[in-house]
Each structure stands twice: as C-alpha cells, then as structure tokens.
C-alpha cells in the first residue's frame, strides 16, 4: 500500500469519526445541557455565587423621573367645565438602592432582606428647581378626609367647617418638594389631634427616602432555578389581604430585581409590586439588543388593568361591586388608608379612551408611557427597564360638601413617574464575556462537525486526484507494435512488443 493510499484511509477514518461524534453531540445537545446546568448552579442567591453581590447592591445607575399635571382652569372645572392640565417635568433623582439585613434561611433555600431606597436630586437632568416650582393639583389630603367621612352627616358637616376655617380647598398649590417629600397639612393636623393614627404630614413620597417597604423573603433558586428571586413572603405574609379573591391576593413572581436564567419567549413574567399592592404579569413583545447584549422585551398587556367585563379574573380587584373601574385603572384605596387613589399607566395608556377624553392635555404614547423589561434570556439579567406608573385621584360629588355638587365623576391625574435603568459598561462587559463562553461551549459540537466537513472536503480532493492519476497512468501505458509494420514470426505468429505510444 502506497503512502498516498495510507493518507486517504487515515483522512477518511478521522473524517467519519468527527462527523459521527459531532452530529451525535449536536443531536443530544450534551454541551448545551452541561452549560445550562452550570448556569443553574451558579445563578443562585447564596454567598459566593456569581450574582449575589450585584443582587445586594445593583451597580447600574437607576434614575427616577417625576412628571406633574399642573391644572390651569381650576375655577372653570369646579363649575362643571372640562379640566385642562399641562405636564411639567421631569424632576430627576438618582436612585440608590441596596438590600439590608440580608440573611440566609432554611439551609440556603431562601434569603430575607429589606430593600432600601434613597434619592438625590439631579438639577442637570431636571426642568427646574423642585424647591421653587409650584404645581396646582388636587388637594389629596382634603379628598382623603372627605371620602373617609362620607355617609355621616355630622362628621361631614364638621369636616366642611374645618376646611372653610383652614382655607382647605378641593385644589392646592404647592412646590414640587412639598408634593413629593411632604408638608404639614392643617386639615390633617386637626384630624390627627383626635385620631393619633392619622399622619399630619402628607407627601406622595413621604417616608420613602432612605427607608424600606417591609421584609421580603426570596427563593434562592438552589432547589429549582425557576424559583430564583421569587418572593415567598412580604411583611411575613404569603398572601395579601387587600382584595376580594385569593387569586388577586396572591404574591407571584419576583420583586422586579431578579429573574431566573434561561427565559422562554412563551412564558409570563410575574412581578409583585408593593406600590400597587398586587402582582402583575408581563408577556414577550420582541427581540431587542442593548449595548451588544441580546434581550427579550417583556411588557404588561392590556389585560393587566382590564375591566372585569374584559378580563373576569380582575373582578377580585374591585373594592366593592359598585366601585369597579373601567379598563386601564386600578383603585388602590384598600392599601392607601381609604384615600381615593387610582393607579394607571401614564396618560391612561392602554386605558379606556373615555378617561383620556375627559381631561384636556393628555396624549398617551407607547414610546413615552409604556412599561417594559429587557432581559437577557440566557442569564435573566436586566439590561434595560422602564417602570412607568401614574397616580390619579377619583373626584366625585360627596354629600355634605357643597363645593363638590357641580363635579362630574373624574379620574384626575396628579403625577406620573418613570423609573429607568440601563446596564452599565462594566456589567455589560461581564455579561458579554459570560455569553461568549456559553456560546462557544454550547456550539463546540458544531466545531467538531465543521472540522469533519473540512476533512471530508480534503478526502474528496485526495480521491479525485488519485482517480485522475490512475486514469493518466492507464492512458500512458498501452499495447502497440514494435514497428509500424507488424513482424511475422513463422513460429509464433505476429510478434507484439510492449512500448509507449509514439515514434519507436
């Protein structure tokens, strides 16, 4: 056997082996499974894991923007006209967050923590000075007190006298700082003198700067990676008590700071939001890319805040059967001490058009008012997010308060917020490196198949060349007479000589 033949056989054997092994590994997805199992073990909320420190103190900067609706025709509205508002903002704050009192429980199956948030004003990202800029808006303390005493003629009469004596109207003009971080309201101070449980200071973000919103207990994901970051209890409760059904009171999903790895486009993402006193879900919308990192965009569908007629599952969020609001709204008074607070998306985005039509100056836009999460599907890391919510007050006629008799029932917008985050460059580089490793290891069988394909091409070339050489040799070696005239052998007949073609 020649050296060339040995080479062809060797190449053929190696080629067949690589293709057989490579295709087998691709079909069985061995390396992909190994890599996914490694991710499931490393992405857990335990000391020393890849994600624990960044979970406790998230490195990407978070910004909180506040937009207010300044009322421009208060007197006309109180006489029955359509209200007019003008959006003012943003007033931007850098939000610093970390988890405090972190402790492992139940043999690393769960971890408890308190979420601390603090805010620092950023003048360069804001439209004005919150200590100077005035906003005319709904007098929320007055409406809260009026709703509390409605139905009682004597209490309503007393509160009406107090409001007149303190000059508390249905609307008020305050600075942005006062509306956000608190001011002492004279009517609340009077009520607090007889009811110590009532706070005399009111602010939309009062006691929310440098504080926590209760203890959370999370699943670490050690037992099941799908439970990574899932909330088990909040303030010691596994079920809420605000709503009318068990489904509505369920605490589902994470708190929005952690999501399990290996996400699927077909799954729902659940988030428990203490500010809304409920859990909401998000669904896949589209593929996006942020700083070179691929991500799935999840957004809350219209059904989250749909009316009970449109989504019967939402009937449990009706405070009473008579207090069921339309699509796009959620009355959160059960967890706001009875105040007539209504939550929605900004400018009533995804809501019933009648709420937008009732207020002049609103214009819902997907780009500016949609809430979304961009999650890397392999690691579950948040690469970009915008949480947008609006605070409204339900205004209506209240017996015992003559100033309200000309009012039509109106969902009046007060403020909306935009909490945003984009992954920082250092974190992005770390995630990109991890994704590169995952991709290379998962696709290693394809590399083997590729090498096998290359050797197959080499084998084909060698076989073609060998075939050509063999054909050439056969053509060059043929039978011909010794001379042009065949020689006659008297004994053996014609004598044939073996010689190359051409001239003898």
């Amino acid at each position: 056997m020649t050296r060339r033949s040995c080479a062809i056989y060797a190449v053929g054997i190696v080629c067949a082996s690589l293709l057989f092994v490579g295709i087998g590994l691709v079909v069985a997805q061995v390396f992909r499974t190994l890599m996914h199992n490694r991710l499931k073990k490393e992405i857990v909320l335990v000391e020393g894991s890849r994600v624990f420190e960044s979970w406790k103190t998230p490195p990407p900067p978070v910004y909180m923007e506040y937009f207010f609706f300044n009322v421009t025709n208060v007197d006309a509205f109180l006489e029955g006209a359509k209200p007019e508002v003008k959006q003012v903002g943003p007033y931007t704050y850098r939000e610093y967050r970390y988890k405090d009192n972190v402790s492992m429980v139940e043999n690393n199956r769960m971890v408890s923590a308190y979420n601390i948030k603090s805010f620092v004003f950023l003048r360069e990202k804001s439209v004005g000075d919150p200590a100077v800029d005035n906003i005319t808006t709904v007098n929320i303390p007055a409406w809260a007190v009026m709703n509390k005493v409605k139905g009682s003629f004597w209490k309503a009469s007393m509160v009406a006298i107090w409001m007149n004596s303190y000059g508390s109207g249905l609307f008020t003009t305050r600075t942005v700082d006062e509306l956000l971080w608190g001011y002492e309201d004279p009517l609340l101070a009077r009520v607090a003198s007889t009811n110590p449980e009532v706070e005399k200071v009111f602010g939309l973000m009062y006691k929310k700067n440098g504080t926590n919103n209760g203890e959370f207990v999370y699943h670490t994901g050690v037992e099941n990676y799908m439970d990574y970051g899932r909330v088990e209890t909040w303030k010691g409760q596994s079920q809420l008590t605000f709503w009318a059904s068990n489904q509505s009171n369920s605490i589902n999903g994470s708190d929005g700071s952690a999501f399990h790895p290996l996400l699927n486009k077909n799954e729902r993402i659940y988030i428990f939001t203490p500010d809304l006193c409920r859990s909401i879900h998000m669904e896949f919308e589209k593929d996006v890319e942020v700083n070179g990192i691929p991500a799935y965009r999840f957004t809350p569908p219209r059904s989250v805040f749909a009316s009970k007629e449109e989504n019967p599952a939402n009937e449990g969020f009706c405070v009473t059967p008579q207090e069921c609001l339309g699509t796009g709204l959620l009355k959160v008074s059960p967890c706001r001490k009875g105040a007539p607070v209504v939550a929605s998306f900004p400018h009533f985005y995804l809501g019933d058009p009648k709420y937008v039509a009732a207020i002049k100056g609103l214009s819902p836009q997907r780009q500016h008012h949609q809430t979304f999460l961009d999650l890397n599907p392999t690691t579950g890391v948040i690469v970009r997010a915008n949480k947008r919510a609006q605070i409204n007050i339900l205004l209506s006629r209240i017996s015992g308060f003559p100033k309200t008799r000309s009012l039509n029932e109106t969902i009046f917008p007060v403020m909306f917020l935009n909490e945003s985050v984009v992954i920082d460059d250092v974190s992005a580089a770390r995630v990109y490196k991890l994704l590169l490793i995952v991709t290379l290891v998962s696709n290693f069988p394809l590399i083997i198949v590729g090498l096998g394909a290359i050797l197959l091409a080499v084998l084909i070339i060698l076989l073609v060349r060998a075939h050509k050489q063999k054909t050439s040799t056969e053509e060059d070696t043929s039978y011909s007479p010794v001379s042009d005239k065949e020689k006659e052998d008297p004994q053996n007949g014609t004598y044939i000589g073996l010689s190359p073609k051409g001239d003898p």
Side-chain angles (χ1 to χ4, degrees), residues 296-439:
Y296 292 167
R297 172 161 293 183
F298 289 88
T299 60
R302 177 184 169 93
S303 60
V304 169
F305 286 157
S307 65
K308 67 175 183 178
E309 290 79 19
E310 191 174 325
N311 181 9
N314 284 344
E315 186 173 0
F317 294 111
C318 297
V319 178
T320 65
Q322 294 75 31
E323 294 183 83
C324 268
L325 301 177
T327 294
L329 305 178
L330 174 69
K331 191 172 184 180
V332 293
S333 55
C335 60
R336 292 291 179 267
K337 298 181 179 179
V341 180
V342 177
S344 70
F345 292 120
H347 288 244
F348 301 118
Y349 173 71
L350 293 182
D352 193 315
K354 69 179 182 181
Y355 300 120
V356 179
I359 310 287
K360 186 176 180 180
L362 299 183
S363 177
Q365 300 175 25
R366 181 190 191 92
Q367 178 184 356
H368 299 297
H369 304 139
Q370 182 189 49
T371 291
F372 66 84
L373 272 173
D374 292 343
L375 305 175
N376 175 253
T378 303
T379 61
V381 170
I382 301 172
V383 293
R384 180 172 54 198
N386 279 82
K387 177 181 131 183
R388 292 157 171 157
Q390 181 170 298
I391 297 174
N392 313 277
I393 300 297
L394 176 59
L395 306 186
S396 59
R397 298 171 189 168
I398 301 177
S399 60
F401 297 95
K403 293 181 180 179
T404 67
R405 62 171 170 257
S406 299
L407 297 181
N408 298 315
E409 183 172 287
T410 307
I411 307 297
F412 210 101
V414 175
M415 175 199 80
F416 80 84
L417 57 87
N418 176 27
E419 190 176 26
S420 62
V421 62
V422 177
I423 190 169
D424 61 290
D425 292 339
V426 175
S427 300
R430 192 180 302 121
V431 173
Y432 188 82
K433 182 180 178 181
L434 177 60
L435 293 178
L436 185 61
I437 294 172
V438 171
T439 302

Side-chain angles (χ1 to χ4, degrees), residues 52-239:
F52 194 64
E53 290 303 320
S54 61
W55 174 75
K56 290 196 298 183
T57 309
V62 180
Y63 297 98
M64 181 71 88
E65 296 175 319
Y66 297 101
F67 298 82
F68 289 86
F69 294 101
N70 188 54
V71 188
T72 58
N73 66 334
V74 172
D75 294 335
F77 171 67
L78 293 177
E79 293 175 2
K82 185 177 182 177
E84 297 180 11
V85 298
K86 181 180 179 181
Q87 180 178 299
V88 181
Y91 294 91
T92 307
Y93 294 76
R94 170 71 188 273
E95 180 181 327
Y96 295 89
R97 51 169 66 187
Y98 66 94
K99 289 181 170 59
D100 195 21
N101 291 339
V102 179
S103 58
M104 308 305 300
V105 294
E106 295 190 22
N107 196 26
N108 286 350
R109 284 183 60 249
M110 297 185 191
V111 56
S112 64
Y114 291 83
N115 296 318
I116 309 295
K117 293 182 181 181
S118 57
F119 302 88
V120 177
F121 179 66
L122 300 177
R123 181 63 183 86
E124 67 276 9
K125 291 181 176 290
S126 305
V127 297
D129 187 347
V132 175
D133 295 354
N134 287 319
I135 301 293
T136 299
T137 187
V138 177
N139 189 348
I140 299 178
W143 282 95
V145 174
M146 288 191 296
N147 273 271
K148 197 72 174 177
V149 299
K150 70 179 179 180
S152 172
F153 174 78
W154 298 108
K155 289 182 178 179
S157 300
M158 183 62 68
V159 169
I161 293 172
W162 290 346
M163 290 178 65
N164 288 329
S165 62
Y166 295 129
S168 296
L170 302 182
F171 287 80
T172 185
T173 299
R174 297 282 178 176
T175 65
V176 171
D177 263 348
E178 288 177 322
L179 291 174
L180 283 177
W181 310 113
Y183 61 93
E184 184 171 322
D185 182 82
L187 180 60
L188 289 181
R190 180 65 184 86
V191 175
S193 64
T194 58
N195 187 352
E197 294 182 358
V198 175
E199 289 272 6
K200 60 183 179 180
V201 175
F202 168 78
L204 295 168
M205 295 292 292
Y206 179 57
K207 289 187 175 180
K208 292 184 178 181
N209 193 356
T211 59
N212 66 79
N213 53 5
E215 183 189 36
F216 282 83
V217 175
Y218 307 90
H219 286 263
T220 60
V222 170
E223 288 188 330
N224 185 348
Y225 81 99
M226 293 290 288
D227 286 336
Y228 170 77
R230 182 169 67 84
V231 177
E232 175 66 16
T233 63
W234 175 58
K235 293 184 176 180
Q237 296 179 319
S238 57
Q239 281 274 110

